[in-house]
Amino acid sequence: AYLDFIHCDDESFRRIDEYLTLIRRRASGELLTPATWMRRFVQSHPEYKQDSVVTQGIAYDLVRACDEIGRGQRACPELLGETVVE
């Protein structure tokens, strides 16, 4: 109703709706939260020895993956669903 009141354009409405859907899916547990995704990334990394130590190699790979996801260069449906990062 508010978006209609302020005459929100169709593209902006679509992006807001997509973002709210992403938040709803994360809140419901349908999608992973960023913290859960990062934890799983570390735990499944070949260098991780189940000893709570995050090596320099793990940290580098994690930051690189996060950067690629954030710039839309790496798909991550378990974190973003169908949301496309532009």
Side-chain angles (χ1 to χ4, degrees), residues 16-34 36 76-84:
I16 292 168
D17 185 57
E18 184 178 340
Y19 187 62
L20 292 174
T21 298
L22 174 67
I23 293 170
R24 179 187 52 77
R25 292 180 72 195
R26 280 212 183 128
S28 73
E30 186 178 342
L31 294 176
L32 298 180
T33 65
T36 300
C76 192
E78 65 272 21
L79 183 62
L80 299 173
E82 293 82 35
T83 301
V84 176

Side-chain angles (χ1 to χ4, degrees), residues 8-79:
C8 182
D9 63 273
D10 290 340
E11 178 62 19
S12 296
F13 184 84
R14 184 189 66 75
R15 294 292 290 169
I16 292 168
D17 185 57
E18 184 178 340
Y19 187 62
L20 292 174
T21 298
L22 174 67
I23 293 170
R24 179 187 52 77
R25 292 180 72 195
R26 280 212 183 128
S28 73
E30 186 178 342
L31 294 176
L32 298 180
T33 65
T36 300
W37 181 85
M38 286 188 273
R39 202 168 18 261
R40 288 184 182 177
F41 183 94
V42 169
Q43 291 173 338
S44 66
H45 194 279
E47 287 183 28
Y48 188 64
K49 296 178 175 60
Q50 307 300 320
D51 58 1
S52 299
V53 175
V54 178
T55 64
Q56 188 173 10
I58 296 170
Y60 175 82
D61 291 346
L62 176 61
V63 170
R64 185 171 174 191
C66 289
D67 177 61
E68 290 171 354
I69 293 167
R71 289 189 291 128
Q73 296 177 339
R74 179 179 186 150
C76 192
E78 65 272 21
L79 183 62

